[in-house]
Amino acid sequence: MSMRKLYLKALLFLCVIGGFIFIMDRVGIFKPDQSNFHEKRRWDSFYEFTKSNDVDVLLIGNSHLYTGINPNHLSCVLGANCFILAAPGTAIPDSYFTLKEGLTRCDPKVVVVETYGIKSSDIRKYTGGGLTLEFRSFYSRKNLIQKLLSTPFLFSPDNYLMAWSESVRGHDILFKDPKLVKKNLSGKNTYPKRRGMDLGRFTTYTKGITEESDRQYDEKGPVVDGDSFRVNRESYDYVKKIEALCDKKGIKLVFLTLPMYYKHVKNYSSWHTIVSRVIGNGYHHLDLQDPYDMELFTRDCFQNTRNVNQHMTAHGAFVADYKLADFLLDKAKVDLPDRSKSRDWRMMFYGEKGYFEHYTQEPGDTSSFMLCKDVDLGGVKVMDSVFIPGEDSGWIYMRLDKKSDLSRISGGMDMYLMVTLSDGSKERYKTHLSMDPGISPRGHYLLSTPYSGISGINSVQLETIVLLSNKDQ
């Protein structure tokens, strides 16, 4: 057999194998479980959102970012479109290529890069779980050219095919999980749609550090030692690539360090010094680990774990959102559009957690109850108060004008409501509203309280408000 025929047969064989893999990928027979594939959902949502909307604040990072910042809430705080593109376990090289693809779809006023991914890592030598997470991040991206160009920088040659093909990566599920194969063939293996706007948030932790866990910090000491932190040349170079990319496009760049619990880390100054040197002069860096806000970043803000990688809770993300918003506007001087003037924009976020903390009820809304509006309680100027019902729990919000005399409500206020239930019966309900120092809208003061134990609400009427100073309690 001539060498030419041998080459042709080899080429034909490769084409057959390649075609088979392509068909398997298209059919999705070997897709992994999609129920928690939030990386793909995030990119799908980003491409869908940017069909008709621009992104004003683009946030890049890993799991510290998508658990530590709530982009829906941050959008409401700023009155601008904020979106998170992040994937778990990824480092700064992945962030760079994520940013490059993100900028093909939007023209943000500012890019925010979370710094936890700036560390010593050789991304092309990843193995095990780290490589799997990098595969997931890469596979979720959608721009074919961007993915082709980034492949040799993210993976070693022996991993190229696995990076591109779910069938090659996941063919073993045929033996390990045949039920999943059947689910793929039926088309039922899809990721669940998120309620409301999906701007990249992935909430995992709702409960903070317990008293017992706090005592363990006192007994066993911190988990993370900043003196052991290192950054290699690869991470340094990719930080510089991010800076150069933003400079070239005229986009402001802000680096963000989200905190871990102050007892979780020791010798943080060493860590901070290294990251600051890598970032260099000329770029803003908001470091929420140091100086650490002891008043606002309480135990409730952090995941209850002694693992090295500690994330923030939903409440912690709200606190961080306000700090980031203030930094972007006051320190970085980012010129953001005020999209909140548009009713269409407000309706995109309407009813989401974080909306009524900043905006009032829209006319015709029957899903919430206006308790009062434009009332002066002897120097306490109420802009509005809204009752947000749920199935058996919800929230009550009250927005106050910044000219209000807060000394009159230093102890909060008691509110008495008459609640009419769906069966026609009525119940008198007393609740207490107070200010959370971590929840700090820029244009007004906010009092709030959750409620529970009431279901089947037909209407709510305000009866009485009692203002409380500390001396009254």
Side-chain angles (χ1 to χ4, degrees), residues 412-444:
M413 63 174 65
D414 287 338
M415 180 180 282
Y416 295 85
L417 306 172
M418 184 59 71
V419 179
T420 303
L421 303 179
S422 55
D423 63 2
S425 63
K426 294 186 177 184
E427 293 184 8
R428 198 164 189 253
Y429 184 77
K430 176 188 175 183
T431 188
H432 180 78
L433 280 74
S434 60
M435 295 178 66
D436 183 336
I439 308 302
S440 52
R442 292 176 63 85
H444 54 271

PDB file of all heavy atoms in Angstrom, residues 412-444:
ATOM      1  N   GLY A 412     -35.880  52.881  66.355  1.00  0.00           N
ATOM      2  CA  GLY A 412     -36.746  52.336  65.322  1.00  0.00           C
ATOM      3  C   GLY A 412     -38.167  52.837  65.463  1.00  0.00           C
ATOM      4  O   GLY A 412     -38.421  53.918  66.000  1.00  0.00           O
ATOM      5  N   MET A 413     -39.109  52.061  64.996  1.00  0.00           N
ATOM      6  CA  MET A 413     -40.531  52.424  65.139  1.00  0.00           C
ATOM      7  C   MET A 413     -41.379  51.169  65.156  1.00  0.00           C
ATOM      8  O   MET A 413     -41.027  50.149  64.565  1.00  0.00           O
ATOM      9  CB  MET A 413     -40.971  53.361  64.009  1.00  0.00           C
ATOM     10  CG  MET A 413     -40.892  52.768  62.617  1.00  0.00           C
ATOM     11  SD  MET A 413     -41.593  53.868  61.356  1.00  0.00           S
ATOM     12  CE  MET A 413     -40.478  55.261  61.411  1.00  0.00           C
ATOM     13  N   ASP A 414     -42.485  51.260  65.882  1.00  0.00           N
ATOM     14  CA  ASP A 414     -43.471  50.194  65.884  1.00  0.00           C
ATOM     15  C   ASP A 414     -44.575  50.550  64.904  1.00  0.00           C
ATOM     16  O   ASP A 414     -45.005  51.718  64.823  1.00  0.00           O
ATOM     17  CB  ASP A 414     -44.081  49.999  67.273  1.00  0.00           C
ATOM     18  CG  ASP A 414     -43.108  49.344  68.242  1.00  0.00           C
ATOM     19  OD1 ASP A 414     -42.160  48.687  67.770  1.00  0.00           O
ATOM     20  OD2 ASP A 414     -43.297  49.497  69.464  1.00  0.00           O
ATOM     21  N   MET A 415     -45.029  49.564  64.167  1.00  0.00           N
ATOM     22  CA  MET A 415     -46.075  49.778  63.172  1.00  0.00           C
ATOM     23  C   MET A 415     -47.220  48.816  63.473  1.00  0.00           C
ATOM     24  O   MET A 415     -47.003  47.622  63.693  1.00  0.00           O
ATOM     25  CB  MET A 415     -45.522  49.542  61.761  1.00  0.00           C
ATOM     26  CG  MET A 415     -46.532  49.730  60.645  1.00  0.00           C
ATOM     27  SD  MET A 415     -45.788  49.439  58.997  1.00  0.00           S
ATOM     28  CE  MET A 415     -44.900  50.969  58.761  1.00  0.00           C
ATOM     29  N   TYR A 416     -48.437  49.358  63.488  1.00  0.00           N
ATOM     30  CA  TYR A 416     -49.640  48.558  63.727  1.00  0.00           C
ATOM     31  C   TYR A 416     -50.437  48.504  62.432  1.00  0.00           C
ATOM     32  O   TYR A 416     -50.787  49.533  61.850  1.00  0.00           O
ATOM     33  CB  TYR A 416     -50.476  49.159  64.851  1.00  0.00           C
ATOM     34  CG  TYR A 416     -49.780  49.132  66.189  1.00  0.00           C
ATOM     35  CD1 TYR A 416     -48.898  50.146  66.565  1.00  0.00           C
ATOM     36  CD2 TYR A 416     -49.997  48.079  67.085  1.00  0.00           C
ATOM     37  CE1 TYR A 416     -48.252  50.113  67.791  1.00  0.00           C
ATOM     38  CE2 TYR A 416     -49.357  48.047  68.317  1.00  0.00           C
ATOM     39  CZ  TYR A 416     -48.482  49.063  68.658  1.00  0.00           C
ATOM     40  OH  TYR A 416     -47.838  49.029  69.886  1.00  0.00           O
ATOM     41  N   LEU A 417     -50.737  47.278  61.977  1.00  0.00           N
ATOM     42  CA  LEU A 417     -51.414  47.075  60.706  1.00  0.00           C
ATOM     43  C   LEU A 417     -52.701  46.285  60.914  1.00  0.00           C
ATOM     44  O   LEU A 417     -52.792  45.451  61.816  1.00  0.00           O
ATOM     45  CB  LEU A 417     -50.513  46.293  59.742  1.00  0.00           C
ATOM     46  CG  LEU A 417     -49.110  46.843  59.475  1.00  0.00           C
ATOM     47  CD1 LEU A 417     -48.307  45.848  58.661  1.00  0.00           C
ATOM     48  CD2 LEU A 417     -49.188  48.179  58.758  1.00  0.00           C
ATOM     49  N   MET A 418     -53.680  46.561  60.062  1.00  0.00           N
ATOM     50  CA  MET A 418     -54.882  45.749  60.004  1.00  0.00           C
ATOM     51  C   MET A 418     -54.813  44.932  58.717  1.00  0.00           C
ATOM     52  O   MET A 418     -54.840  45.478  57.609  1.00  0.00           O
ATOM     53  CB  MET A 418     -56.159  46.589  60.021  1.00  0.00           C
ATOM     54  CG  MET A 418     -57.435  45.754  60.055  1.00  0.00           C
ATOM     55  SD  MET A 418     -57.544  44.644  61.506  1.00  0.00           S
ATOM     56  CE  MET A 418     -57.806  45.847  62.820  1.00  0.00           C
ATOM     57  N   VAL A 419     -54.716  43.618  58.880  1.00  0.00           N
ATOM     58  CA  VAL A 419     -54.556  42.717  57.741  1.00  0.00           C
ATOM     59  C   VAL A 419     -55.869  41.993  57.482  1.00  0.00           C
ATOM     60  O   VAL A 419     -56.427  41.346  58.384  1.00  0.00           O
ATOM     61  CB  VAL A 419     -53.426  41.694  57.998  1.00  0.00           C
ATOM     62  CG1 VAL A 419     -53.281  40.752  56.808  1.00  0.00           C
ATOM     63  CG2 VAL A 419     -52.114  42.404  58.291  1.00  0.00           C
ATOM     64  N   THR A 420     -56.372  42.122  56.263  1.00  0.00           N
ATOM     65  CA  THR A 420     -57.576  41.395  55.854  1.00  0.00           C
ATOM     66  C   THR A 420     -57.159  40.163  55.067  1.00  0.00           C
ATOM     67  O   THR A 420     -56.437  40.266  54.069  1.00  0.00           O
ATOM     68  CB  THR A 420     -58.489  42.271  54.977  1.00  0.00           C
ATOM     69  OG1 THR A 420     -58.832  43.464  55.703  1.00  0.00           O
ATOM     70  CG2 THR A 420     -59.762  41.523  54.609  1.00  0.00           C
ATOM     71  N   LEU A 421     -57.606  39.005  55.509  1.00  0.00           N
ATOM     72  CA  LEU A 421     -57.220  37.751  54.877  1.00  0.00           C
ATOM     73  C   LEU A 421     -58.213  37.373  53.783  1.00  0.00           C
ATOM     74  O   LEU A 421     -59.301  37.958  53.670  1.00  0.00           O
ATOM     75  CB  LEU A 421     -57.123  36.647  55.925  1.00  0.00           C
ATOM     76  CG  LEU A 421     -56.162  36.934  57.087  1.00  0.00           C
ATOM     77  CD1 LEU A 421     -56.167  35.782  58.072  1.00  0.00           C
ATOM     78  CD2 LEU A 421     -54.753  37.198  56.570  1.00  0.00           C
ATOM     79  N   SER A 422     -57.841  36.386  52.995  1.00  0.00           N
ATOM     80  CA  SER A 422     -58.660  35.998  51.843  1.00  0.00           C
ATOM     81  C   SER A 422     -60.024  35.463  52.249  1.00  0.00           C
ATOM     82  O   SER A 422     -60.971  35.500  51.460  1.00  0.00           O
ATOM     83  CB  SER A 422     -57.915  34.952  51.006  1.00  0.00           C
ATOM     84  OG  SER A 422     -57.524  33.842  51.801  1.00  0.00           O
ATOM     85  N   ASP A 423     -60.158  34.955  53.482  1.00  0.00           N
ATOM     86  CA  ASP A 423     -61.460  34.454  53.936  1.00  0.00           C
ATOM     87  C   ASP A 423     -62.337  35.547  54.526  1.00  0.00           C
ATOM     88  O   ASP A 423     -63.425  35.277  55.048  1.00  0.00           O
ATOM     89  CB  ASP A 423     -61.274  33.318  54.952  1.00  0.00           C
ATOM     90  CG  ASP A 423     -60.554  33.780  56.218  1.00  0.00           C
ATOM     91  OD1 ASP A 423     -60.223  34.982  56.328  1.00  0.00           O
ATOM     92  OD2 ASP A 423     -60.280  32.924  57.088  1.00  0.00           O
ATOM     93  N   GLY A 424     -61.863  36.802  54.477  1.00  0.00           N
ATOM     94  CA  GLY A 424     -62.638  37.928  54.974  1.00  0.00           C
ATOM     95  C   GLY A 424     -62.345  38.301  56.413  1.00  0.00           C
ATOM     96  O   GLY A 424     -62.758  39.371  56.883  1.00  0.00           O
ATOM     97  N   SER A 425     -61.646  37.448  57.137  1.00  0.00           N
ATOM     98  CA  SER A 425     -61.314  37.757  58.531  1.00  0.00           C
ATOM     99  C   SER A 425     -60.218  38.810  58.603  1.00  0.00           C
ATOM    100  O   SER A 425     -59.470  39.026  57.645  1.00  0.00           O
ATOM    101  CB  SER A 425     -60.870  36.486  59.257  1.00  0.00           C
ATOM    102  OG  SER A 425     -59.686  35.969  58.675  1.00  0.00           O
ATOM    103  N   LYS A 426     -60.120  39.459  59.767  1.00  0.00           N
ATOM    104  CA  LYS A 426     -59.137  40.523  59.956  1.00  0.00           C
ATOM    105  C   LYS A 426     -58.274  40.229  61.176  1.00  0.00           C
ATOM    106  O   LYS A 426     -58.754  39.693  62.168  1.00  0.00           O
ATOM    107  CB  LYS A 426     -59.823  41.876  60.116  1.00  0.00           C
ATOM    108  CG  LYS A 426     -60.557  42.341  58.862  1.00  0.00           C
ATOM    109  CD  LYS A 426     -61.105  43.756  59.021  1.00  0.00           C
ATOM    110  CE  LYS A 426     -61.764  44.222  57.732  1.00  0.00           C
ATOM    111  NZ  LYS A 426     -62.230  45.643  57.830  1.00  0.00           N
ATOM    112  N   GLU A 427     -57.017  40.602  61.054  1.00  0.00           N
ATOM    113  CA  GLU A 427     -56.076  40.433  62.153  1.00  0.00           C
ATOM    114  C   GLU A 427     -55.293  41.720  62.343  1.00  0.00           C
ATOM    115  O   GLU A 427     -54.861  42.345  61.375  1.00  0.00           O
ATOM    116  CB  GLU A 427     -55.098  39.287  61.869  1.00  0.00           C
ATOM    117  CG  GLU A 427     -55.720  37.909  61.839  1.00  0.00           C
ATOM    118  CD  GLU A 427     -54.674  36.818  61.638  1.00  0.00           C
ATOM    119  OE1 GLU A 427     -53.466  37.155  61.682  1.00  0.00           O
ATOM    120  OE2 GLU A 427     -55.058  35.654  61.438  1.00  0.00           O
ATOM    121  N   ARG A 428     -55.113  42.104  63.601  1.00  0.00           N
ATOM    122  CA  ARG A 428     -54.271  43.259  63.909  1.00  0.00           C
ATOM    123  C   ARG A 428     -52.841  42.749  64.092  1.00  0.00           C
ATOM    124  O   ARG A 428     -52.622  41.774  64.813  1.00  0.00           O
ATOM    125  CB  ARG A 428     -54.748  43.970  65.174  1.00  0.00           C
ATOM    126  CG  ARG A 428     -54.203  45.393  65.303  1.00  0.00           C
ATOM    127  CD  ARG A 428     -55.010  46.170  66.334  1.00  0.00           C
ATOM    128  NE  ARG A 428     -54.669  47.588  66.344  1.00  0.00           N
ATOM    129  CZ  ARG A 428     -53.970  48.192  67.289  1.00  0.00           C
ATOM    130  NH1 ARG A 428     -53.528  47.485  68.335  1.00  0.00           N
ATOM    131  NH2 ARG A 428     -53.703  49.486  67.231  1.00  0.00           N
ATOM    132  N   TYR A 429     -51.920  43.410  63.433  1.00  0.00           N
ATOM    133  CA  TYR A 429     -50.540  42.916  63.398  1.00  0.00           C
ATOM    134  C   TYR A 429     -49.595  44.039  63.813  1.00  0.00           C
ATOM    135  O   TYR A 429     -49.659  45.153  63.289  1.00  0.00           O
ATOM    136  CB  TYR A 429     -50.203  42.437  61.983  1.00  0.00           C
ATOM    137  CG  TYR A 429     -48.840  41.815  61.829  1.00  0.00           C
ATOM    138  CD1 TYR A 429     -48.581  40.517  62.259  1.00  0.00           C
ATOM    139  CD2 TYR A 429     -47.803  42.523  61.237  1.00  0.00           C
ATOM    140  CE1 TYR A 429     -47.329  39.942  62.112  1.00  0.00           C
ATOM    141  CE2 TYR A 429     -46.545  41.959  61.079  1.00  0.00           C
ATOM    142  CZ  TYR A 429     -46.316  40.668  61.515  1.00  0.00           C
ATOM    143  OH  TYR A 429     -45.080  40.109  61.365  1.00  0.00           O
ATOM    144  N   LYS A 430     -48.728  43.726  64.774  1.00  0.00           N
ATOM    145  CA  LYS A 430     -47.729  44.693  65.215  1.00  0.00           C
ATOM    146  C   LYS A 430     -46.355  44.218  64.773  1.00  0.00           C
ATOM    147  O   LYS A 430     -46.011  43.038  64.891  1.00  0.00           O
ATOM    148  CB  LYS A 430     -47.745  44.843  66.741  1.00  0.00           C
ATOM    149  CG  LYS A 430     -46.642  45.768  67.274  1.00  0.00           C
ATOM    150  CD  LYS A 430     -46.578  45.730  68.798  1.00  0.00           C
ATOM    151  CE  LYS A 430     -45.390  46.569  69.305  1.00  0.00           C
ATOM    152  NZ  LYS A 430     -45.253  46.508  70.777  1.00  0.00           N
ATOM    153  N   THR A 431     -45.567  45.147  64.264  1.00  0.00           N
ATOM    154  CA  THR A 431     -44.206  44.805  63.865  1.00  0.00           C
ATOM    155  C   THR A 431     -43.275  45.969  64.188  1.00  0.00           C
ATOM    156  O   THR A 431     -43.728  47.099  64.424  1.00  0.00           O
ATOM    157  CB  THR A 431     -44.131  44.469  62.359  1.00  0.00           C
ATOM    158  OG1 THR A 431     -42.837  43.963  62.045  1.00  0.00           O
ATOM    159  CG2 THR A 431     -44.405  45.702  61.500  1.00  0.00           C
ATOM    160  N   HIS A 432     -41.997  45.683  64.208  1.00  0.00           N
ATOM    161  CA  HIS A 432     -40.996  46.700  64.549  1.00  0.00           C
ATOM    162  C   HIS A 432     -40.051  46.904  63.375  1.00  0.00           C
ATOM    163  O   HIS A 432     -39.480  45.936  62.846  1.00  0.00           O
ATOM    164  CB  HIS A 432     -40.200  46.269  65.785  1.00  0.00           C
ATOM    165  CG  HIS A 432     -39.150  47.257  66.195  1.00  0.00           C
ATOM    166  ND1 HIS A 432     -39.451  48.414  66.883  1.00  0.00           N
ATOM    167  CD2 HIS A 432     -37.802  47.265  65.996  1.00  0.00           C
ATOM    168  CE1 HIS A 432     -38.338  49.088  67.096  1.00  0.00           C
ATOM    169  NE2 HIS A 432     -37.319  48.414  66.571  1.00  0.00           N
ATOM    170  N   LEU A 433     -39.913  48.137  62.957  1.00  0.00           N
ATOM    171  CA  LEU A 433     -39.006  48.488  61.872  1.00  0.00           C
ATOM    172  C   LEU A 433     -37.762  49.154  62.441  1.00  0.00           C
ATOM    173  O   LEU A 433     -37.852  49.941  63.399  1.00  0.00           O
ATOM    174  CB  LEU A 433     -39.659  49.441  60.868  1.00  0.00           C
ATOM    175  CG  LEU A 433     -40.593  48.831  59.820  1.00  0.00           C
ATOM    176  CD1 LEU A 433     -41.920  48.418  60.471  1.00  0.00           C
ATOM    177  CD2 LEU A 433     -40.861  49.805  58.680  1.00  0.00           C
ATOM    178  N   SER A 434     -36.623  48.841  61.845  1.00  0.00           N
ATOM    179  CA  SER A 434     -35.372  49.444  62.292  1.00  0.00           C
ATOM    180  C   SER A 434     -34.444  49.624  61.104  1.00  0.00           C
ATOM    181  O   SER A 434     -34.681  49.096  60.008  1.00  0.00           O
ATOM    182  CB  SER A 434     -34.696  48.574  63.363  1.00  0.00           C
ATOM    183  OG  SER A 434     -34.404  47.291  62.842  1.00  0.00           O
ATOM    184  N   MET A 435     -33.375  50.376  61.321  1.00  0.00           N
ATOM    185  CA  MET A 435     -32.378  50.607  60.281  1.00  0.00           C
ATOM    186  C   MET A 435     -31.243  49.609  60.441  1.00  0.00           C
ATOM    187  O   MET A 435     -30.723  49.424  61.537  1.00  0.00           O
ATOM    188  CB  MET A 435     -31.842  52.038  60.355  1.00  0.00           C
ATOM    189  CG  MET A 435     -32.885  53.100  60.061  1.00  0.00           C
ATOM    190  SD  MET A 435     -32.241  54.796  60.196  1.00  0.00           S
ATOM    191  CE  MET A 435     -31.068  54.816  58.837  1.00  0.00           C
ATOM    192  N   ASP A 436     -30.874  48.961  59.344  1.00  0.00           N
ATOM    193  CA  ASP A 436     -29.712  48.084  59.314  1.00  0.00           C
ATOM    194  C   ASP A 436     -28.543  48.917  58.792  1.00  0.00           C
ATOM    195  O   ASP A 436     -28.585  49.390  57.653  1.00  0.00           O
ATOM    196  CB  ASP A 436     -29.977  46.902  58.384  1.00  0.00           C
ATOM    197  CG  ASP A 436     -28.826  45.897  58.348  1.00  0.00           C
ATOM    198  OD1 ASP A 436     -27.680  46.281  58.649  1.00  0.00           O
ATOM    199  OD2 ASP A 436     -29.075  44.722  58.004  1.00  0.00           O
ATOM    200  N   PRO A 437     -27.507  49.132  59.592  1.00  0.00           N
ATOM    201  CA  PRO A 437     -26.407  49.992  59.143  1.00  0.00           C
ATOM    202  C   PRO A 437     -25.714  49.490  57.883  1.00  0.00           C
ATOM    203  O   PRO A 437     -25.088  50.266  57.164  1.00  0.00           O
ATOM    204  CB  PRO A 437     -25.445  49.986  60.341  1.00  0.00           C
ATOM    205  CG  PRO A 437     -25.798  48.774  61.135  1.00  0.00           C
ATOM    206  CD  PRO A 437     -27.264  48.585  60.938  1.00  0.00           C
ATOM    207  N   GLY A 438     -25.831  48.187  57.586  1.00  0.00           N
ATOM    208  CA  GLY A 438     -25.202  47.652  56.385  1.00  0.00           C
ATOM    209  C   GLY A 438     -25.997  47.905  55.122  1.00  0.00           C
ATOM    210  O   GLY A 438     -25.467  47.796  54.015  1.00  0.00           O
ATOM    211  N   ILE A 439     -27.276  48.240  55.281  1.00  0.00           N
ATOM    212  CA  ILE A 439     -28.149  48.502  54.129  1.00  0.00           C
ATOM    213  C   ILE A 439     -28.307  50.010  54.029  1.00  0.00           C
ATOM    214  O   ILE A 439     -29.091  50.612  54.749  1.00  0.00           O
ATOM    215  CB  ILE A 439     -29.512  47.807  54.298  1.00  0.00           C
ATOM    216  CG1 ILE A 439     -29.313  46.327  54.631  1.00  0.00           C
ATOM    217  CG2 ILE A 439     -30.353  47.975  53.048  1.00  0.00           C
ATOM    218  CD1 ILE A 439     -28.527  45.553  53.595  1.00  0.00           C
ATOM    219  N   SER A 440     -27.551  50.615  53.129  1.00  0.00           N
ATOM    220  CA  SER A 440     -27.435  52.082  53.142  1.00  0.00           C
ATOM    221  C   SER A 440     -27.609  52.677  51.757  1.00  0.00           C
ATOM    222  O   SER A 440     -26.636  53.010  51.069  1.00  0.00           O
ATOM    223  CB  SER A 440     -26.064  52.479  53.701  1.00  0.00           C
ATOM    224  OG  SER A 440     -25.022  51.782  53.011  1.00  0.00           O
ATOM    225  N   PRO A 441     -28.854  52.808  51.275  1.00  0.00           N
ATOM    226  CA  PRO A 441     -29.098  53.455  49.988  1.00  0.00           C
ATOM    227  C   PRO A 441     -28.543  54.882  49.969  1.00  0.00           C
ATOM    228  O   PRO A 441     -28.501  55.566  51.000  1.00  0.00           O
ATOM    229  CB  PRO A 441     -30.628  53.456  49.874  1.00  0.00           C
ATOM    230  CG  PRO A 441     -31.070  52.336  50.758  1.00  0.00           C
ATOM    231  CD  PRO A 441     -30.089  52.314  51.899  1.00  0.00           C
ATOM    232  N   ARG A 442     -28.125  55.335  48.803  1.00  0.00           N
ATOM    233  CA  ARG A 442     -27.477  56.638  48.705  1.00  0.00           C
ATOM    234  C   ARG A 442     -28.470  57.801  48.813  1.00  0.00           C
ATOM    235  O   ARG A 442     -28.135  58.852  49.341  1.00  0.00           O
ATOM    236  CB  ARG A 442     -26.732  56.732  47.372  1.00  0.00           C
ATOM    237  CG  ARG A 442     -25.530  55.803  47.286  1.00  0.00           C
ATOM    238  CD  ARG A 442     -24.883  55.869  45.926  1.00  0.00           C
ATOM    239  NE  ARG A 442     -24.342  57.177  45.599  1.00  0.00           N
ATOM    240  CZ  ARG A 442     -23.129  57.603  45.950  1.00  0.00           C
ATOM    241  NH1 ARG A 442     -22.336  56.812  46.664  1.00  0.00           N
ATOM    242  NH2 ARG A 442     -22.703  58.801  45.592  1.00  0.00           N
ATOM    243  N   GLY A 443     -29.708  57.624  48.333  1.00  0.00           N
ATOM    244  CA  GLY A 443     -30.610  58.759  48.246  1.00  0.00           C
ATOM    245  C   GLY A 443     -31.606  58.885  49.368  1.00  0.00           C
ATOM    246  O   GLY A 443     -32.369  59.865  49.409  1.00  0.00           O
ATOM    247  N   HIS A 444     -31.640  57.940  50.304  1.00  0.00           N
ATOM    248  CA  HIS A 444     -32.631  57.989  51.367  1.00  0.00           C
ATOM    249  C   HIS A 444     -32.194  57.053  52.489  1.00  0.00           C
ATOM    250  O   HIS A 444     -31.250  56.280  52.346  1.00  0.00           O
ATOM    251  CB  HIS A 444     -34.006  57.560  50.838  1.00  0.00           C
ATOM    252  CG  HIS A 444     -34.003  56.222  50.167  1.00  0.00           C
ATOM    253  ND1 HIS A 444     -33.743  56.063  48.825  1.00  0.00           N
ATOM    254  CD2 HIS A 444     -34.191  54.951  50.639  1.00  0.00           C
ATOM    255  CE1 HIS A 444     -33.783  54.786  48.505  1.00  0.00           C
ATOM    256  NE2 HIS A 444     -34.050  54.083  49.595  1.00  0.00           N
TER     257      HIS A 444
END
